[in-house]
Amino acid sequence: MITAVYPGSFDPITNGHLDIIKRSAKTFDKLIVAVLNNPNKTPMFDLEERVDLIRQSISDLNNVEIDCFSGLLIDYMQNKNVNVIIKGLRAISDFEYEFQMALMNRKLNKEIETLFMMTNSDYSYLSSSLVKEAFRFGGNIENLVPDIVIQKMKEKL
Ligand code: PNS
C-alpha cells in the first residue's frame, strides 16, 4: 500500500489543488493533504479554516486524509512513515523553486522521493495568491476555487 503526502499552504485551496488531490487519490492507495502551519506568515484563513475548506471540498474522496504540520516536511513524513511527496507543477517558473526544494529534501532524507504531477492546463496560471488578489479587487473567481471558498472569502470581506 502506497501513501503519498501532498503538502502546501492551501490559503485557500484552489481548483488547481483539487485537481492534483483527485488525481493523486486515484494514483495512490492513500493521500494525506498536509497543511503547513507557518507562524511567520499571516494567512487569509487560519489553519483550522484552511483544513475545514479542504475537508468540505473533498468530501467525496474516501482515501484522502487532511492533516497539519509545522517545521520540516521530511520530519513530518518520517513521523507518518510515508516516503512520497506529491507536488503540482504548473509552469517553468515553478520548476526552479521546486527543484531546489526537492533536492534539499532529498539531502535531508534520501529515503523520501518527491514526485511531480503536471497541472491540468485549465489551471496552469492559478495560485492562491492570485485568487486572493483578484477577489480583493472585485474580480470574478468562479470556477477557480470551490464554491465554499468563495462563500468564506465573501464573509471575510
Ligand atoms: O503551498 P506552498 O506554500 O507552495 O507550500 C510550500 C510547502 C509547505 C510545501 C513548503 O514550504 C514546505 O514544505 N515547508 C515546510 C518546511 C520545509 O520542509 N522546507 C523545505 C526544506 S528546507
Side-chain angles (χ1 to χ4, degrees):
M1 169 156 155
I2 303 185
T3 301
V5 163
Y6 179 41
S9 305
F10 304 104
D11 183 40
I13 184 167
T14 67
N15 285 350
H17 293 131
L18 210 49
D19 174 65
I20 300 285
I21 293 174
K22 286 180 180 164
R23 287 160 58 205
S24 305
K26 268 197 218 161
T27 309
F28 296 95
D29 300 296
K30 183 178 160 189
L31 180 73
I32 303 173
V33 179
V35 186
L36 177 67
N37 181 15
N38 184 351
N40 300 325
K41 271 194 185 172
T42 314
M44 178 177 217
F45 293 100
D46 66 29
L47 193 61
E48 212 175 298
E49 289 172 317
R50 282 180 276 152
V51 166
D52 203 48
L53 287 173
I54 300 171
R55 184 162 293 127
Q56 294 190 57
S57 309
I58 60 156
S59 53
D60 53 329
L61 302 173
N62 53 23
N63 62 337
V64 180
E65 182 185 306
I66 308 162
D67 198 8
C68 307
F69 76 104
S70 46
L72 285 182
L73 176 61
I74 50 125
D75 288 340
Y76 169 78
M77 308 270 306
Q78 223 165 336
N79 287 338
K80 283 274 170 184
N81 210 11
V82 176
N83 53 16
V84 177
I85 302 171
I86 286 291
K87 285 296 194 77
L89 209 52
R90 289 168 299 195
I92 297 172
S93 50
D94 276 345
F95 180 78
E96 201 167 318
Y97 177 66
E98 292 297 345
F99 182 63
Q100 239 182 333
M101 188 122 73
L103 292 189
M104 186 62 176
N105 281 333
R106 192 192 296 154
K107 174 78 186 156
L108 295 171
N109 186 333
K110 65 179 177 16
E111 301 303 321
I112 294 177
E113 290 293 345
T114 305
L115 303 184
F116 292 96
M117 195 171 263
M118 287 300 158
T119 180
N120 178 323
S121 56
D122 290 349
Y123 307 124
S124 58
Y125 60 94
L126 193 55
S127 70
S128 298
S129 343
L130 277 188
V131 164
K132 285 184 281 191
E133 184 161 321
F135 182 79
R136 264 190 209 113
F137 296 108
N140 181 2
I141 56 165
E142 244 170 78
N143 301 322
L144 301 184
V145 292
D147 289 345
I148 180 73
V149 171
I150 300 184
Q151 202 177 307
K152 290 286 170 198
M153 283 172 92
K154 282 182 179 159
E155 287 171 20
K156 291 258 169 206
L157 266 189

